Every structure is written in structure tokens, then in C-alpha cells.
Amino acid sequence: MSTDPSLSHADVEPHSGGISAKLNWLRAGVMGANDGIVSTAGLVVGVAAATTDESTILTAGFAGLAAGAVSMALGEYVSVSAQRDTERALLHKERRELEEMPDAELEELTALLEGKGMSRPTARTAAKEMTERDALSAHAEVELGIDPGALANPWAAAFSSAVAFTVGALVPLLVIVLPPADLRVPVTFVSVLVALALTGSVSAWLGGARRGRAMSRVVIGGALAMIVTYAVGLAFGTATA
């Protein structure tokens, strides 16, 4: 395959922080969908083991979807808000240090660049040029691993988590009501395992991991969840019959 000679290696290989952040968000979305599939599938399979009433199954399923989506969104909002607060505090501290002791901060940046493999003269020159361009961004990225212009957004994280969970939860909710009553559980069981295998495969691809192992983990976990909840539903259904 030919490559435009005007493009540098960095242009061809998408290793930028922006790409990494997008992959992290996508991976989180896949895992959110996986949670939605497993938790909702376990719920509807358990209820289906206790009753054949479609309305009861759907009510339980949608209640579980709503509760799960809200829980995921709230948890993600709190987590990302804490992360954002920490990042802001670190940036404020770094900004103050740059104002109060610029020479010491320049020396610190030089040492950090040396630690990355640069020679002392090259590191000193690079540190000066980076400081002249944007001292805070230079120190934030090299020292703290933070991009001041791309802090995590808790609202976006909460929304994406809720959407991902909802999309995943719709799979077992739709499948559980389509087949006849006597086939609901086996059809849902198989369909959910196929969906989990897909999310496991995508997650492994995004993380560069082995697909077989990742798929096995989520499929076995989902199967165990449905078996346990089916047994519970069957026991309660028999007890209340």
C-alpha cells in the first residue's frame, strides 16, 4: 500500500492523545452496554422463570433498565467529577508554582525530559521552547499527564453511560417477548450470549487483547448470571404457585 510521502509517521499512526481518549470512551460505552445486557437479562430471565405474564416481565425489565441507567449515569458523573476536580486542583497548583518559581519549574521540566531519554542540552532547549509557547500546558502534559484543554466532562460521561446501558438492556427486553412463552428463556439465553460475545470481541479489539479470552469471560459471566436468576425465579415461582 502506497503512502503519501508528505505525511509523517505521526500522521499515519494515530497515537495522539485525542485518539486514545476516543478509544477509552468507546471502550467504556461497550462495557456499559455489556452491563445493560447482563443485568437486564438476568432480571427478565428470573421473572420469566416465575411467571409467563408478559406484562409482568416487561414491567420488571423496564424498571431494571431505568434503575440501571440512572445508577450508571450517577456513578459515572460522581467519578468523573472527582477526577475533574483533582485535575483542576493540580493545574491550579502548577500555575501558582510557575508564577512563584519559574526557574525551578524550568529545571524540573528539563529533568523530566531528560528522564524521557533526551540529552541535557536538548532537554534544556526543548524545555525553554515549550515554556515560552505554553508553560502550563507543557508542565501539565509532561509532569501530570493532563491536557488542560481536554478535561473530562462529567455530564457527557453520565449521558454516554446511561445511553450505553440502555442500548444493551434493550437486547434482552426485546428478545424475551418475541418468542412463544415456552421458548422465551432458551431464546433469550442464546441471544444474550451472542450479544455478549460481540461486546467482548469489540472490547478486546479496542484494547488490543486476545478476543477468545475476553469473549469467554463475558459469556461465562452472563451465563452464570442468567442461570442463578433463573433458579431464583423458578424457586419463588414454585413457592408462590
Side-chain angles (χ1 to χ4, degrees):
M1 183 178 68
S2 62
T3 303
D4 187 344
S6 65
L7 295 177
S8 67
H9 177 72
D11 294 321
V12 177
E13 296 293 334
H15 296 313
S16 68
I19 294 295
S20 177
K22 289 178 181 178
L23 287 177
N24 285 337
W25 279 109
L26 185 55
R27 190 180 298 113
V30 171
M31 297 312 297
N34 185 81
D35 288 342
I37 294 171
V38 173
S39 60
T40 307
L43 181 60
V44 296
V45 165
V47 175
T51 179
T52 58
D53 183 62
E54 184 175 302
S55 177
T56 300
I57 297 172
L58 283 177
T59 299
F62 277 106
L65 183 157
V70 171
S71 176
M72 287 286 290
L74 181 59
E76 197 70 13
Y77 178 82
V78 171
S79 175
V80 175
S81 292
Q83 175 188 337
R84 188 182 179 95
D85 290 343
T86 300
E87 290 174 342
R88 283 176 168 172
L90 290 171
L91 290 174
H92 177 73
K93 178 176 179 289
E94 197 64 40
R95 186 181 292 109
R96 188 179 69 251
E97 290 176 347
L98 285 167
E99 293 173 354
E100 295 176 353
M101 41 187 178
D103 292 339
E105 288 297 297
L106 178 61
E107 179 59 33
E108 181 182 35
L109 182 58
T110 301
L112 288 169
L113 294 175
E114 277 190 274
K116 293 180 178 293
M118 292 186 182
S119 65
R120 173 72 182 183
T122 301
R124 188 70 174 182
T125 300
K128 287 181 178 179
E129 291 180 356
M130 294 169 71
T131 299
E132 290 171 358
R133 186 184 63 183
D134 189 337
L136 180 61
S137 291
H139 280 267
E141 293 175 7
V142 177
E143 181 181 348
L144 306 174
I146 299 173
D147 182 354
L151 297 183
N153 186 332
W155 288 107
F159 177 76
S160 61
S161 293
V163 170
F165 185 94
T166 300
V167 170
L170 287 175
V171 173
L173 270 176
L174 294 175
V175 174
I176 197 73
V177 297
L178 293 179
D182 58 335
L183 294 177
R184 280 175 181 166
V185 172
V187 169
T188 301
F189 193 89
V190 172
S191 300
V192 165
L193 295 188
V194 171
L196 290 175
L198 179 60
T199 62
S201 176
V202 173
S203 178
W205 174 71
L206 291 172
R210 296 175 60 181
R211 293 191 180 186
R213 183 176 298 175
M215 292 168 63
S216 297
R217 281 196 297 261
V218 294
V219 168
I220 292 173
L224 287 174
M226 288 187 287
I227 290 171
V228 170
T229 55
Y230 180 80
V232 171
L234 200 61
F236 274 89
T238 302
T240 57

